[in-house]
Amino acid sequence: MMKLIELHVYGYGKLEDYVINPLDQFDVFYGENEAGKSTIMSFIHSILFGFPAKQSAEVRYEPKNNPKYGGKIKAFFPDRGVAVIERVKGKASGDVTVSLEDGTIGGEELLKDLLKRMDKGIFQAIFSFNVHGLQNIHALKGEDLGRYLFSAGTFGTDKLFHTEGFLLKEMEQRFKPSGRKPLLNEKMKELKDVQASLKKAEQHNDQYSNWVSEKEEIEAAIDRFEREIQRLEQSGVKLREYKRNERLVLEAASLERKINEQDKSFFPEDGLNRFERLDEQLKNTQARKLALEEKQDYYETELQKSIPDFELLETETELEARTKNLPLYDQLKQEKRLLESKLEEIIEEISLLNDQLYTNFNEENIQGINTSIFIKEQVEDIQQTQQRLTDKKHRLEADFEEEKRGLAELEANAERLKSRLLGEDQRKQLMIELDQLENTERIQSEWRYVKDQIEAVKSSKAAEKIKSKKQKMKDRQQTLLLGGIFLIVLFWGVVNSTWLLAAVGIAGLIFLAVGLFKSAGHSESELSAEAQILTKLMERERELKESLSIHSGGNVFSTKSLLAKDEEARQQHRELIVKIEQQHHRFEKVVQQFEEWESEYGNLKQKKAELLGQLGLSEKQEPIKLLDAYHLLEKQKQNFREKKRTEDSLKTVTASIRDMEDSLKMLAHRFLQNGNFTPVEAAGSLKRALREAMEQQAKHRNMISKLDELGEELASLQKEELVLSEERAGLMAKADADNEDQFRLKAKNTEQVKGWSARLQDINHQLYASGITDEDRQKILTGISLEEQIEENGAKLEACKRDLNRQFDRMAEVKQKMNMIEEGGIYSELLHKYRQLQHEFAEDAKEWAKYAIARDMLSKTIGQYKDERMPKMLTMAENILSILTDGSYIKIIPQASGSGFLIERKDHVLFEANELSQATAEQVYVSIRLALAAVHHDRYPFPIIIDDSFVNFDHLRTARIVQLLREMSSKNQILIFTCHRHLLDYFSEKEIVHLQEKSTNIV
């Protein structure tokens, strides 16, 4: 869920550099009037959604004495983490900057993404509500109250309520089914009256309809003549165009005729030029052929004079090989000396490496050492493992010291924090005092009640005494009267010996005596019971006064503060104990890792010893670096191999030197008849002799090559001569010419036809540009005179124009007669007025239909909301209402039609909203608003902001709504703004943010 963490006001209203930090999940902002509660609520809305526009009804809260306008909010978003939203004065809604904890920085678009594209109006309607909603409840009566509650449950505001009323009002202003004053009702009546008058006037104007029909016939005839005149004018234009292009059409026809009369036999394209080129090429080829034959005879004579020494030339390869390697003779000797020196160095390096490895390797035992890639991998693995274990040891040592130091710091912090904790006895005493201080008001109330009871008992006792005295006097009088009567009866019975009467008199006297005794006892018992009650009440009064005197000097806020600080310290101490346990666990883990390291290092040493044994090495004096020893061993094996290769190379070089000397002496003896030359002298002489023979051979080969080239060129010229002759004959055959003269005559005729075709093409282009088609050409060539056609078309055109003028004259007569009828009566005026009224009625009806459609769509939307979205909201609202009213009201039922609610009491009696008490209606409104915010939590987990919406609740329902909001704060952050001091008793001091009027305030 989204949670506001910090508010920092740069300048907003009268608040300047004002900071509220931190904000908890459930906070109550308390301040007197003008302390800044509304300013802070507006600040939250403005930073999140933009400053109000200057022409807006909302207050902008621009500071009077501070140039900085705006501020920033730090908030947590579940999918992006902590974000800082800063908005300052700039464009209309302000310039906003959003910074995320991953380093992302953005503007308005990023903020909209964070707020899930939530609109300011919707946010205020769903998640931010205040006392104004309750004030509306006080102002509404009857059906309006139910509709207002329905609107609050739909959009969170009274928009639906006002929209529905606005649409109904607009519709009724325009039309009522039984109304008279609405606009459409008045126009409908006027329209009916005008229609009746029009029908009466129409009965006197039957002739007018005949003239109207004739007018329509004349208009149709005029239209027909105008179309015919347009066609004839276009035809005249085309005939004149024909006349202008008549000469070109005739010339084109003449050229086509001449071309068709010419010989249609085929003549090759550009035939004459091709024929002349072939003839010239054939003569040139025959001249070149004669020159080449003379040159061929000359080269054959020179060939016989240049025959070389073929025996010497046959040894060219061997001689070249011997003389070519001669420059290497000295190099081979130098290489031999170098190889001998290198062999000595290798032997010395083998001895040095044996000393470094503390071994005595030779050609036989070195080959038994395994230095394969697998052994190298084992060596590298052991080397890497050894390095890793060394690094691990250093790291473990550092971790050991760090964990040891961290454990000591945590234990010291725990001891220091423990010393700050309150003792158990002191804490219990403070809790008892807090309980007593919190019950002070109850004790005072009970004390006042006991005092009132004492006064009541005393007053009752005094009244009872007065009443008892009066009753005793009355009873005494009655007793005396009855006693006198019973004495008279007794005396009368004794005197007259009527013993029955005497017995009655005696019984009556006895009954009176018993009654007097019981009455006295009852009065005494009542007085004794009242005295006991009074004694108990006075004893309780004394106890309560003592309790009040004991706790009269205590401070509930300071006691709560001490206990809260102690609880916070205890929580920190418990957290430190947990951290110490975790640190102990990490410390033991490091020790365990040391033990694992020792075991792993022992295994490594064993593997290293085994591998050294395989390599023929041992750690006798000091530890051996295994990888370095492996590389030295590889190098030693390489040295032995290099020693063998060097010895083999030395043998090869010695044999090559001997072979070069023997071969050059043998060649010098064979071709120079002298075997005493040194290798260098023999090679020089042999090369000179070979060069001379090769020059003679090159000359001989050049003559042969030139003769071959001449032969090929002669053959090519012969082929070319044949091809040209055949091509020349083929060209004449295509033209069907027996000789050259006939061929040239046909060429001349072909050129003449080409000229005619070009001229014909040019004429065709001109005619096409003038719009003359093939069909038009045929019309020009028909032989009918174009002048006659033009005159005939002109005559038809004039006749049509005369007919058109006659129709215009007839139209004028008909219109004049119609005007006479129209001017003579009111038909036209009534007709105009009737059509005007029809148009106005249609426009006004469209306007009424807009509102009717809008109201119908609103009704359908309400119906859809009732069926799909409202049940979930109502279920939650019913639960909240049941909690607030302690189960007195259990159901909120939408009206079957319209936009109201029925409220069901626990005895299943249904009430409309206007039948509820004012307080219950407010609780229904609050239940609906809270439920609306709760059902949107899954998609929009935003904070809920409440401004003094529970001030009219009694103390029981206030306690219930506070408890409900505490439960809701697990899903939504709850921020409550109030200026009522008595509401703070329902919240802990930690939950209350006191707003003070300061220029800088850090809460």
Side-chain angles (χ1 to χ4, degrees), residues 833-929:
K833 186 175 181 180
Y834 178 71
R835 289 177 179 172
Q836 181 66 27
L837 285 173
Q838 277 185 323
H839 175 73
E840 292 176 0
F841 183 82
E843 292 299 318
D844 292 335
K846 287 180 183 177
E847 191 69 20
W848 176 85
K850 291 180 184 177
Y851 294 102
I853 292 169
R855 188 166 183 242
D856 182 63
M857 291 176 66
L858 183 63
S859 299
K860 290 180 180 177
T861 303
I862 291 171
Q864 185 179 6
Y865 182 81
K866 281 183 179 179
D867 297 337
E868 297 178 4
R869 298 177 57 193
M870 187 170 280
K872 183 178 179 182
M873 185 277 293
L874 287 181
T875 301
M876 188 167 292
E878 288 166 354
N879 294 335
I880 296 172
L881 180 62
S882 179
I883 293 170
L884 293 182
T885 61
D886 197 20
S888 298
Y889 294 90
I890 58 175
K891 282 282 186 182
I892 303 174
I893 305 169
Q895 294 275 25
S897 61
S899 56
F901 285 125
L902 295 175
I903 313 300
E904 182 179 349
R905 202 165 59 188
K906 65 180 179 181
D907 57 0
H908 305 297
V909 177
L910 299 177
F911 297 90
E912 291 190 359
N914 60 302
E915 296 174 333
L916 299 173
S917 67
Q918 200 66 43
T920 304
E922 289 183 9
Q923 286 145 21
V924 172
Y925 172 77
V926 170
S927 301
I928 290 173
R929 289 301 307 272

Side-chain angles (χ1 to χ4, degrees), residues 456-474 523-524 526-528 530-531 534:
V457 169
K458 286 180 178 180
S459 300
S460 175
K461 187 175 181 182
E464 192 64 33
K465 284 182 178 180
I466 295 170
K467 184 179 179 181
S468 177
K469 287 180 180 180
K470 291 180 179 180
Q471 187 66 33
K472 283 181 180 179
M473 188 177 293
K474 186 177 179 181
S523 299
E524 290 177 0
E526 283 183 353
L527 291 173
S528 176
E530 287 180 354
L534 183 60

Side-chain angles (χ1 to χ4, degrees), residues 187-221:
K187 288 195 174 181
M188 190 181 296
K189 182 177 180 300
E190 185 179 2
L191 193 61
K192 288 180 180 179
D193 294 341
V194 173
Q195 187 180 21
S197 300
L198 184 64
K199 286 183 178 179
K200 291 179 182 179
E202 190 176 5
Q203 293 174 2
H204 303 288
N205 290 277
D206 293 337
Q207 186 62 31
Y208 185 82
S209 299
N210 296 332
W211 292 120
V212 170
S213 300
E214 186 174 353
K215 178 185 173 186
E216 291 175 354
E217 293 176 0
I218 295 171
E219 287 175 348

